[in-house]
Amino acid sequence: MPDLLEVATEPNRRALLRLLAEGEKTVTELSGHFPVSRSAVSQHLLLLSEVGLVTARKDGRNRYYRLDGAGMVRLREQFEAFWTTELDLLVADAGRLGPQSSQGNI
């Protein structure tokens, strides 16, 4: 399975998530917001679906996409874990450097 953070941070997919935060939309409605083909938007939506960030339902000829609440919770948890880890590493690096002494720069 593709990495959730990597999938969600690609600019076009981030834009799709923002648009879907407004509510359910068809590929055609979403495609109007992008300079890429409808097929390219569909591929982005497929990847978002594979990692569990969006779901789709078919109604006649249309497929309607919406955010998956559980997937968005997982995304938030992964972002929080990422930043907690990164901040812990930053603090550890700062501790290894020790206090910087001023060398007569008064």
Side-chain angles (χ1 to χ4, degrees):
M1 179 186 278
D3 179 79
L4 182 64
L5 289 176
E6 188 176 329
V7 169
T9 57
E10 193 279 330
N12 289 310
R13 292 189 286 268
R14 272 195 341 257
L16 284 167
L17 293 173
R18 278 194 299 272
L19 289 167
L20 291 172
E22 299 169 1
E24 191 176 67
K25 295 189 179 1
T26 65
V27 175
T28 302
E29 292 170 321
L30 293 165
S31 296
H33 296 273
F34 297 91
V36 297
S37 69
R38 185 174 180 262
S39 177
V41 171
S42 291
Q43 290 299 313
H44 284 299
L45 288 166
L46 179 62
L47 195 51
L48 289 168
S49 180
E50 285 178 12
V51 297
L53 293 175
V54 301
T55 60
R57 69 175 178 85
K58 190 155 174 88
D59 185 11
R61 301 178 85 196
N62 291 317
R63 184 172 293 275
Y64 292 87
Y65 288 87
R66 67 178 178 274
L67 294 180
D68 183 309
M72 296 307 290
V73 167
R74 277 191 6 265
L75 178 62
R76 182 180 181 138
E77 289 170 351
Q78 285 199 15
F79 269 121
E80 288 173 357
F82 171 81
W83 284 115
T84 299
T85 301
E86 290 299 311
L87 289 174
D88 287 347
L89 291 171
L90 182 62
V91 168
D93 286 346
R96 280 192 295 276
L97 291 174
Q100 297 292 323
S101 61
S102 62
Q103 298 181 2
N105 294 338
I106 300 179

